[in-house]
């Protein structure tokens, strides 16, 4: 009896012990990652689907992550033919003074020197060189003040909510030697929410993927064959071969100031999946900011993305909605036309949650008259889009607030009825209306 009692107690203790190990691990996979940062976000780069976010809508300091907007405007100016990579920049008093401050990230520029846009860009993208960044801004817009206006205009075009740029670099304006851009305060800072930072990173890589050719360089030399030779290690220590290397990492931009803390926009690709992460003001377990803290936070987000999510087909091409496989048709030889999803919908989801997403039909109401499509109707005519809703569990949506926008089309054509048929339809409709009205009148008497 005593042995049986002891065995029962042992099994009870073992069960409780095992539950303390297993249950928290399951909870962590489905709840907050508790990233040690003021804000964080994880995004599938292809679709813009948000896989995780933490305080992602609060405007915070962005420091040198600002330079992603400078890069965007640079590539755009090159594309438009307004400047060229070989174009020479003549150093101004402003950029000369900033470049001599080695407490900031800089390559030294000579007061009487000229530099190609290409070498200034490499100094910006690899070493986050501030004076080189200002030189690019001056080349594109004439003054940094005018360039800041272009930055804010582009931010509005890209839908970067709650974003404010006051300079091209991300420095505090007080670091600009009293020459901060016109119309800005002497201690102003650039601010963005993590969601907008991620959206900017996605736009930059979508429109100008060649940026990764430079941001993936771990180390370069500025003016290698001159007396101004300067080593340019990349501040992204997660690149292959560096101290915090991470498989697939090839960008994108670090940022560090007292105001912004230690921040980082990272991107990595494995197989056919590319992720974007943003961490802002990262700290360690003791609340202290450091380079390691921002890379640890980034690693946690990346591991979660690559480890928990896979690309899966949620809706196949040709899918028909169970509750509405056709739309009613007026003035046609047929009373309805079948509809289906044009292309498959594939997105990043957890394997266990694939069946939690339900496709919903969003009909383009502007095409309907009294709830019907008017014939004639062509095959493959677009009549709406698909919206995916999740029946259970959290879903963070997309960077632009919408799903894939996959089209719903007609699967057949419907010819317009001839004159005689249309006349019969009109007569039938008239008598149906009269009969319905009479029935309603009689019902009203009782």
């Amino acid at each position: 009896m005593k042995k049986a009692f002891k065995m029962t107690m042992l099994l009870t203790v073992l069960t409780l012990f095992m539950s303390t190990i297993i249950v928290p691990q399951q909870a962590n996979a489905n709840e907050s990652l508790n990233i040690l940062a003021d804000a964080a976000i994880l995004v599938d780069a292809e679709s813009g689907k948000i896989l995780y976010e933490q305080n992602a809508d609060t405007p915070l300091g962005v420091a040198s992550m600002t330079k992603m907007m400078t890069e965007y405007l640079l590539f755009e100016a090159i594309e438009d033919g307004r400047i060229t990579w070989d174009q020479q920049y003549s150093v101004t008093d402003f950029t000369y003074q900033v470049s001599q401050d080695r407490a900031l990230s800089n390559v030294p520029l000579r007061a009487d020197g000229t530099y190609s846009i290409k070498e200034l860009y490499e100094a910006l993208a690899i070493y986050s060189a501030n004076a080189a960044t200002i030189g690019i801004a001056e080349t594109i817009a004439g003054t940094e003040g005018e360039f800041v206006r272009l930055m804010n205009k582009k931010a509005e075009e890209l839908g970067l909510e709650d974003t404010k740029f006051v300079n091209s670099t991300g420095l505090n304006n007080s670091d600009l030697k009293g020459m901060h851009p016109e119309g800005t305060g002497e201690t102003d800072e650039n601010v963005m929410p993590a969601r907008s930072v991620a959206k900017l990173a996605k736009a930059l890589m979508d429109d100008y993927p060649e940026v990764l050719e430079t941001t993936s360089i771990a180390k370069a030399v500025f003016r290698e064959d001159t007396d101004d030779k300067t080593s340019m290690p990349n501040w992204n220590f997660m690149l292959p071969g560096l101290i915090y290397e991470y498989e697939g990492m090839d960008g994108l931009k670090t940022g560090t100031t007292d105001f912004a803390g230690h921040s980082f926009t990272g991107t990595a690709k494995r197989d056919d999946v590319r992720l974007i992460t943003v961490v802002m003001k990262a700290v360690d377990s003791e609340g202290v900011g450091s380079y390691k803290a921002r890379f640890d936070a980034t690693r946690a987000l990346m591991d979660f993305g690559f480890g928990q999510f896979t690309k899966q087909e949620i809706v196949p091409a040709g899918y028909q909605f169970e509750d509405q496989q056709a739309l009613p048709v007026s003035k046609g030889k047929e009373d309805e036309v079948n509809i289906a999803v044009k292309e498959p919908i594939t997105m990043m989801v957890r394997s266990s949650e694939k069946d939690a997403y339900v496709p919903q039909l969003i009909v383009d109401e502007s095409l309907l008259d009294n709830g019907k499509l008017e014939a004639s109707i062509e095959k493959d005519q677009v009549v709406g889009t698909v919206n995916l809703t999740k029946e259970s569990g959290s879903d963070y949506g997309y960077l632009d607030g919408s799903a894939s926008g996959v089209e719903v089309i007609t699967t057949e054509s419907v010819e317009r009825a001839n004159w005689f048929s249309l006349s019969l339809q009109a007569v039938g409709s008239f008598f149906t209306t009269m009969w319905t009205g009479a029935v309603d009148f009689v019902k009203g008497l009782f």
Side-chain angles (χ1 to χ4, degrees):
M1 189 73 175
K2 290 182 178 179
K3 288 183 178 179
F5 176 77
K6 289 181 179 180
M7 182 62 68
T8 301
M9 290 297 296
L10 178 60
L11 289 173
T12 301
V13 171
L14 285 173
T15 300
L16 290 172
F17 176 73
M18 291 299 294
S19 68
T20 62
I21 297 175
I22 296 171
V23 172
Q25 289 179 342
Q26 292 174 336
N28 286 341
N30 294 283
E31 298 177 359
S32 174
L33 293 177
N34 294 318
I35 299 298
L36 298 179
D38 280 6
I41 195 168
L42 168 67
V43 179
D44 170 37
E46 181 179 7
S47 66
K49 181 166 175 40
I50 301 169
L51 309 182
Y52 177 84
E53 65 177 23
Q54 176 180 307
N55 194 33
D57 294 314
T58 300
L60 299 168
V62 286
S64 283
M65 294 190 299
T66 294
K67 293 182 173 79
M68 290 189 294
M69 177 59 83
T70 301
E71 289 172 321
Y72 190 99
L73 292 175
L74 169 60
F75 281 111
E76 187 176 64
I78 295 289
E79 183 179 52
D80 294 345
R82 288 180 281 125
I83 64 173
T84 66
W85 290 117
D86 294 332
Q87 185 169 331
Q88 296 294 305
Y89 166 74
S90 296
V91 176
T92 63
D93 183 56
F94 178 25
T95 51
Y96 172 73
Q97 289 192 43
V98 173
S99 76
Q100 301 307 301
D101 188 347
R102 298 309 299 273
L104 307 176
S105 183
N106 269 311
V107 292
L109 303 178
R110 291 183 177 270
D112 58 350
T114 59
Y115 301 84
S116 73
I117 295 301
K118 182 70 171 180
E119 59 186 337
L120 293 180
Y121 161 66
E122 290 175 348
L124 176 165
I126 299 169
Y127 194 49
S128 197
N130 290 293
T133 302
I134 298 169
I136 289 171
E138 291 179 340
T139 302
I140 293 173
T143 66
E144 189 180 22
E146 177 60 19
F147 188 78
V148 168
R149 187 189 69 80
L150 296 179
M151 294 173 77
N152 286 307
K153 180 181 177 182
K154 183 58 65 176
E156 186 175 351
E157 291 175 9
L158 295 175
L160 309 184
E161 296 181 357
D162 297 318
T163 293
K164 180 183 179 182
F165 292 116
V166 298
N167 60 53
S168 64
T169 60
L171 292 171
N172 183 294
N173 271 358
S174 63
D175 291 320
L176 299 179
K177 316 303 178 184
M179 294 177 280
H180 52 275
E182 183 180 357
T184 67
E186 62 181 36
T187 59
D188 281 354
E189 298 264 6
N190 297 334
V191 295
M192 300 177 73
R195 183 188 301 268
S196 291
V197 177
K199 189 179 290 189
L200 173 58
K202 183 178 182 333
L204 177 59
M205 291 190 293
D206 283 349
D207 296 343
Y208 306 106
E210 59 268 33
V211 68
L212 297 174
E213 297 174 7
T214 310
T215 60
S216 60
I217 297 173
K219 184 178 181 180
V221 178
F222 183 75
R223 294 251 156 157
E224 185 166 12
D225 297 323
T226 71
D227 293 338
D228 296 327
K229 175 180 178 180
T230 305
S231 178
M232 297 192 300
N234 199 315
W235 295 108
N236 177 5
F237 298 162
M238 297 186 80
L239 291 174
L242 300 186
I243 186 172
Y244 300 117
E245 66 177 304
Y246 189 84
E247 181 187 348
M249 179 68 64
D250 54 3
L252 193 58
K253 194 68 199 73
T254 57
T256 312
T257 63
D258 290 341
F259 178 66
H262 291 78
S263 304
F264 178 45
T265 300
T267 184
K269 184 177 182 180
R270 293 182 180 178
D271 298 324
D272 62 343
V273 173
R274 176 175 288 282
L275 299 178
I276 297 170
T277 58
V278 179
V279 295
M280 304 180 76
K281 211 161 192 177
V283 296
D284 60 22
S285 58
E286 296 181 354
V288 178
S290 66
Y291 295 137
K292 183 178 186 299
R294 70 181 174 196
F295 297 132
D296 284 347
T298 298
R299 182 180 300 276
L301 287 169
M302 290 284 184
D303 284 348
F304 179 66
F306 286 121
Q308 293 285 328
F309 292 81
T310 57
K311 274 188 181 180
Q312 298 195 47
E313 184 178 277
I314 307 301
V315 180
Y319 173 86
Q320 289 190 294
F321 300 88
E322 293 181 6
D323 57 347
Q324 193 168 2
Q325 297 183 7
L327 289 177
V329 174
S330 64
K331 301 180 181 180
K333 289 186 176 181
E334 305 292 340
D335 294 333
E336 61 182 22
V337 61
N338 288 325
I339 59 174
V341 175
K342 182 179 180 180
E343 298 174 344
I345 300 178
T346 301
M347 69 178 190
M348 293 282 287
V349 296
R350 294 185 187 181
S351 300
S352 60
E353 296 183 345
K354 177 183 177 181
D355 296 331
Y357 289 89
V358 178
Q360 291 185 327
L361 172 63
I362 308 297
V363 177
D364 185 349
E365 297 291 339
S366 68
L367 301 175
L368 305 181
D369 183 14
N370 292 323
K372 296 182 178 183
L373 286 172
E374 183 177 325
S376 61
I377 299 168
E378 298 292 329
K379 184 178 182 292
D380 296 332
Q381 180 176 321
V382 178
V383 295
T385 56
V386 182
N387 183 40
L388 290 176
T389 59
K390 195 176 182 186
E391 289 186 322
S392 61
S394 60
D395 186 83
Y396 298 109
Y398 290 75
L399 281 178
D400 62 1
S402 63
S404 60
V406 169
E407 297 173 336
V408 176
I409 59 173
T410 57
T411 61
E412 57 200 351
S413 61
V414 177
E415 294 183 16
R416 190 176 181 87
N418 58 35
W419 176 86
F420 181 72
S421 296
L422 291 175
S423 298
L424 290 179
Q425 289 178 16
V427 171
S429 178
F430 171 76
F431 282 109
T432 299
T433 303
M434 289 290 290
W435 175 254
T436 301
V439 171
D440 289 342
F441 174 74
V442 171
K443 286 181 178 178
L445 295 176
F446 296 96

